[in-house]
Coordinates of all heavy atoms in Angstrom, one line a residue:
P528 N 95.9 126.4 98.8 CA 96.1 126.1 100.2 C 97.1 127.1 100.9 O 98.1 127.4 100.3 CB 96.6 124.7 100.3 CG 96.1 124.1 99.0 CD 96.1 125.2 98.0
F529 N 96.8 127.5 102.1 CA 97.7 128.3 102.9 C 97.9 129.7 102.4 O 98.7 130.5 103.0 CB 99.0 127.6 103.2 CG 98.9 126.2 103.7 CD1 99.3 125.1 103.0 CD2 98.3 126.0 104.9 CE1 99.1 123.8 103.5 CE2 98.1 124.7 105.5 CZ 98.5 123.6 104.7
S530 N 97.2 130.1 101.3 CA 97.3 131.5 100.8 C 96.3 132.4 101.6 O 95.3 131.9 102.0 CB 97.0 131.5 99.3 OG 98.1 130.9 98.6
K531 N 96.7 133.6 101.6 CA 95.8 134.6 102.3 C 94.4 134.7 101.7 O 93.4 134.9 102.3 CB 96.5 136.0 102.4 CG 95.7 137.0 103.2 CD 96.5 138.3 103.3 CE 95.8 139.3 104.2 NZ 96.5 140.6 104.3
D532 N 94.4 134.6 100.3 CA 93.1 134.8 99.6 C 92.4 133.5 99.3 O 91.6 133.4 98.4 CB 93.4 135.5 98.3 CG 94.5 134.9 97.4 OD1 95.2 134.0 97.9 OD2 94.6 135.3 96.2
R533 N 92.7 132.4 100.0 CA 92.0 131.1 99.8 C 90.6 131.3 100.1 O 90.2 132.0 101.1 CB 92.7 130.0 100.7 CG 92.5 130.2 102.2 CD 93.4 129.3 103.0 NE 93.2 129.4 104.4 CZ 93.8 130.3 105.2 NH1 94.7 131.2 104.6 NH2 93.6 130.4 106.5
D534 N 89.7 130.6 99.4 CA 88.3 130.9 99.6 C 87.5 129.6 99.6 O 86.2 129.6 99.5 CB 87.7 131.8 98.6 CG 87.6 131.2 97.2 OD1 88.4 130.3 96.9 OD2 86.8 131.7 96.4
G535 N 88.1 128.4 99.7 CA 87.4 127.2 99.8 C 88.1 126.1 99.0 O 89.0 126.3 98.2
F536 N 87.6 124.8 99.2 CA 88.2 123.7 98.4 C 87.5 123.5 97.1 O 86.4 124.1 96.8 CB 88.2 122.4 99.3 CG 86.9 121.7 99.5 CD1 86.4 120.9 98.5 CD2 86.2 121.9 100.7 CE1 85.2 120.2 98.7 CE2 85.0 121.2 100.9 CZ 84.5 120.3 99.9
V537 N 88.1 122.7 96.3 CA 87.5 122.3 95.0 C 87.1 120.9 95.0 O 87.9 120.0 95.2 CB 88.5 122.6 93.8 CG1 87.9 122.1 92.5 CG2 88.9 124.1 93.8
L538 N 85.8 120.6 94.7 CA 85.3 119.3 94.7 C 85.9 118.5 93.6 O 86.1 118.9 92.5 CB 83.8 119.3 94.5 CG 83.0 118.1 94.6 CD1 83.0 117.6 96.1 CD2 81.5 118.3 94.1
A539 N 86.4 117.2 94.0 CA 87.1 116.4 93.0 C 86.8 115.0 93.2 O 86.2 114.5 94.1 CB 88.6 116.7 93.1
E540 N 87.3 114.2 92.2 CA 87.2 112.7 92.2 C 88.5 112.1 92.0 O 89.5 112.7 91.5 CB 86.2 112.3 91.1 CG 84.8 112.8 91.2 CD 83.9 112.6 90.0 OE1 84.5 112.6 88.9 OE2 82.7 112.4 90.2
G541 N 88.6 110.8 92.4 CA 89.9 110.1 92.2 C 89.9 108.8 93.0 O 88.9 108.4 93.6
S542 N 91.0 108.1 92.9 CA 91.2 106.9 93.7 C 92.7 106.6 93.9 O 93.5 107.0 93.1 CB 90.6 105.7 92.9 OG 91.1 105.6 91.6
G543 N 92.9 105.9 95.0 CA 94.3 105.5 95.4 C 94.2 104.1 95.9 O 93.2 103.8 96.7
A544 N 95.1 103.2 95.6 CA 95.1 101.9 96.1 C 96.5 101.5 96.5 O 97.5 101.8 95.8 CB 94.6 100.9 95.0
L545 N 96.6 100.8 97.6 CA 97.9 100.3 98.1 C 97.8 98.8 98.4 O 96.8 98.3 99.0 CB 98.3 100.9 99.4 CG 98.6 102.4 99.4 CD1 99.1 102.8 100.8 CD2 99.5 102.9 98.3
V546 N 98.7 98.0 97.9 CA 98.9 96.6 98.3 C 99.8 96.6 99.5 O 101.0 97.1 99.4 CB 99.5 95.7 97.2 CG1 99.8 94.3 97.7 CG2 98.5 95.6 96.0
L547 N 99.3 96.2 100.7 CA 100.1 96.2 101.9 C 100.4 94.7 102.2 O 99.6 93.8 102.0 CB 99.2 96.7 103.1 CG 98.7 98.1 102.9 CD1 97.7 98.5 104.0 CD2 99.8 99.2 102.8
E548 N 101.7 94.5 102.6 CA 102.1 93.1 103.0 C 103.0 93.2 104.2 O 103.7 94.2 104.5 CB 102.9 92.5 101.9 CG 102.2 92.3 100.6 CD 103.0 91.5 99.6 OE1 103.4 90.3 99.9 OE2 103.3 92.0 98.5
S549 N 103.0 92.1 105.0 CA 104.0 92.1 106.0 C 105.4 92.1 105.3 O 105.5 91.5 104.3 CB 103.9 90.8 106.9 OG 104.2 89.7 106.2
L550 N 106.3 92.7 105.9 CA 107.7 92.8 105.3 C 108.2 91.4 105.1 O 108.9 91.1 104.1 CB 108.6 93.7 106.2 CG 110.0 93.8 105.7 CD1 110.0 94.5 104.3 CD2 110.9 94.6 106.7
E551 N 108.0 90.5 106.1 CA 108.5 89.2 106.0 C 107.9 88.5 104.8 O 108.7 87.8 104.0 CB 108.1 88.4 107.3 CG 108.6 87.0 107.3 CD 108.4 86.3 108.6 OE1 107.6 86.8 109.5 OE2 108.9 85.2 108.8
A552 N 106.6 88.6 104.5 CA 106.0 87.9 103.4 C 106.5 88.5 102.1 O 106.7 87.8 101.1 CB 104.5 88.0 103.5
A553 N 106.6 89.8 102.1 CA 107.0 90.5 100.8 C 108.4 90.1 100.5 O 108.7 89.8 99.3 CB 106.9 92.0 101.0
L554 N 109.3 90.1 101.4 CA 110.7 89.7 101.2 C 110.8 88.2 100.8 O 111.6 87.9 99.9 CB 111.6 90.0 102.4 CG 111.8 91.4 102.7 CD1 112.6 91.5 104.1 CD2 112.6 92.2 101.6
A555 N 110.0 87.4 101.4 CA 110.0 86.0 101.1 C 109.6 85.7 99.6 O 110.2 84.7 99.0 CB 109.1 85.2 102.0
R556 N 108.8 86.5 99.1 CA 108.4 86.2 97.7 C 109.2 87.1 96.7 O 108.9 87.1 95.5 CB 106.9 86.4 97.5 CG 106.4 87.8 97.6 CD 104.9 87.9 97.3 NE 104.4 89.2 97.2 CZ 104.3 90.0 96.1 NH1 104.8 89.5 95.0 NH2 103.9 91.2 96.1
G557 N 110.1 87.8 97.2 CA 111.0 88.7 96.3 C 110.4 89.9 95.8 O 110.8 90.4 94.8
A558 N 109.4 90.4 96.5 CA 108.7 91.6 96.1 C 109.6 92.9 96.3 O 110.4 92.9 97.1 CB 107.4 91.8 96.9
T559 N 109.4 93.9 95.4 CA 110.0 95.2 95.6 C 109.3 96.0 96.7 O 108.1 96.1 96.6 CB 110.0 96.0 94.3 OG1 110.7 95.2 93.2 CG2 110.6 97.3 94.4
I560 N 110.1 96.5 97.6 CA 109.5 97.2 98.7 C 109.4 98.7 98.3 O 110.5 99.3 98.1 CB 110.3 97.1 100.0 CG1 110.5 95.6 100.3 CG2 109.7 97.8 101.2 CD1 109.2 94.8 100.5
L561 N 108.2 99.2 98.2 CA 108.0 100.6 97.7 C 108.0 101.6 98.9 O 108.2 102.8 98.7 CB 106.7 100.7 97.0 CG 106.5 99.8 95.8 CD1 105.2 100.0 95.2 CD2 107.6 100.0 94.8

């Protein structure tokens, strides 16, 4: 990326997951805020 000789992307696979919570609910159950 951002190099002068870039010539395209590389097809890839993967996954990402997030557990989202209201700050109020997360603090109420003592969760670690990431």
